[in-house]
Amino acid sequence: MARKYIESRFKEIGLNTLPSFSGYEMPFSFKNNKGTTIEGKNLLGYVEGKAKT
């Protein structure tokens, strides 16, 4: 629920998605101290700069 709201706000304010992902979500995983794999998703967006590189 919160993720959908944040994604809609990202779109509303004009944040770009990262080219290597199909949307704002970036999946990740890690092992906790018991060795269980935990999976999650970060939300990423960026504002394109005006400087030419």
Side-chain angles (χ1 to χ4, degrees), residues 32-53:
N32 67 11
N33 59 354
K34 294 181 180 181
T36 304
T37 300
I38 308 296
E39 299 199 10
K41 294 178 183 178
N42 283 321
L43 294 176
L44 301 171
Y46 74 98
V47 176
E48 191 169 335
K50 295 180 182 178
K52 297 189 186 224
T53 57

Side-chain angles (χ1 to χ4, degrees), residues 1-2 6 28 33 40 47 51:
M1 189 163 148
I6 293 169
F28 69 93
N33 59 354
V47 176

Side-chain angles (χ1 to χ4, degrees), residues 10-11 13-19 21 23-24 44-49:
F10 279 9
K11 290 176 188 172
I13 64 175
L15 287 181
N16 297 314
T17 60
L18 296 174
F21 296 100
Y24 296 106
L44 301 171
Y46 74 98
V47 176
E48 191 169 335

